[in-house]
Every structure is written in C-alpha cells, then in structure tokens.
Amino acid sequence: MWNKDKAKPDLQRFSGKTSLIAAGAELVGDMRFQGAVQVDGRVTGNLLATEGLVRVSVGGLVEGEVRAPHIVIDGEVNGDVFAAGHLELGARARVRGNLHYGLMEMAMGAQIEGRLFHLKDGERPLELPANLDTEQ
C-alpha cells in the first residue's frame, strides 16, 4: 500500500561482494567491509560497513555493534545498531541495545530492549522563524 514501489535492499545487489557467516560458524573480532554480509551463525565483535547491507538471519547472533547503511534483522543482536538508511526488524528479531535509524520497518513480534533514535539529515537545534524573532 505505502512504499510498494520502493526497492528493499537485497543481497543479490552486492554480487561478488557478499560474505556469509554460515550456521554453526563463529567469527570472533571486528569485521569491516563494503558490500553485504549475512549472519546465519555467530559474530562476537562489531560489524562495520561503509557501504552495503548487514542481514542477521533467524538463528543468527551478533554480540557487538552493527553499523551499515541498510540492516535487516530477523535474528538476535546484543549491541547498538546504527542504520543510516534503512532498518528492517522481522517478526523474530531480538535486539538488546539502542537503535539509531534513518527509516525503520518493524514486524509484529519483533522485540527491542533499548531506545530508538531517529537520525535526521543535517540535524540542528530548534530555531524560530525570522518573522517571529522580530515581533513582540
């Protein structure tokens, strides 16, 4: 109904730049990348993308900070999440940490233990219009 024409971030868009942490695999340490990463296993560390997508699948677990323009969570994240562009929380998402996002979609059933912070382009303090400043 709303935003149906808007394309969602997809792993196929990052062909040749996609990493997979498979079910049963564990990565210990920080991972910095451009492209996409799908977490089906466990990551103990931070996932940091300057460009791209992070997807935490059902059964996937990240214990650390996640930073990327686009983030899709349907698994578990224990740490703060920073999605400058789009954040999608699926029905099985479990997040223990603060969410910082540009746009967010959240399915019924998703759980968050933390605070939500909307990121605005060019944030600045509240200012009165010029015409109100001169009137008394």
Side-chain angles (χ1 to χ4, degrees):
M1 181 172 185
W2 303 314
N3 292 337
K4 280 189 177 179
D5 298 331
K6 197 168 196 174
K8 291 189 178 183
D10 190 13
L11 289 173
Q12 293 175 346
R13 199 177 100 199
F14 301 101
S15 179
K17 292 184 175 180
T18 302
S19 299
L20 173 66
I21 311 298
E26 181 176 2
L27 171 68
V28 178
D30 295 347
M31 181 175 178
R32 298 175 194 278
F33 61 94
Q34 292 181 355
V37 67
Q38 178 164 325
V39 179
D40 295 338
R42 179 184 180 118
V43 174
T44 303
N46 301 319
L47 296 175
L48 310 166
T50 54
E51 296 177 12
L53 166 72
V54 173
R55 178 176 305 223
V56 182
S57 302
V58 175
L61 170 64
V62 176
E63 298 212 19
E65 188 176 282
V66 180
R67 286 183 183 263
H70 302 284
I71 300 173
V72 178
I73 301 173
D74 219 357
E76 190 173 343
V77 175
N78 296 323
D80 290 347
V81 174
F82 296 85
H86 184 250
L87 172 62
E88 182 179 336
L89 300 174
R92 295 183 179 174
R94 304 292 180 262
V95 179
R96 287 179 199 85
N98 297 322
L99 301 179
H100 303 260
Y101 61 92
L103 295 171
M104 182 171 70
E105 289 182 59
M106 183 173 171
M108 186 177 356
Q111 296 178 9
I112 301 168
E113 293 179 27
R115 297 182 67 188
L116 303 178
F117 298 95
H118 181 251
L119 302 174
K120 298 177 186 171
D121 293 333
E123 281 190 22
R124 60 180 193 197
L126 179 64
E127 297 175 3
L128 293 174
N131 60 352
L132 290 179
D133 288 340
T134 56
E135 293 179 11
Q136 294 194 11

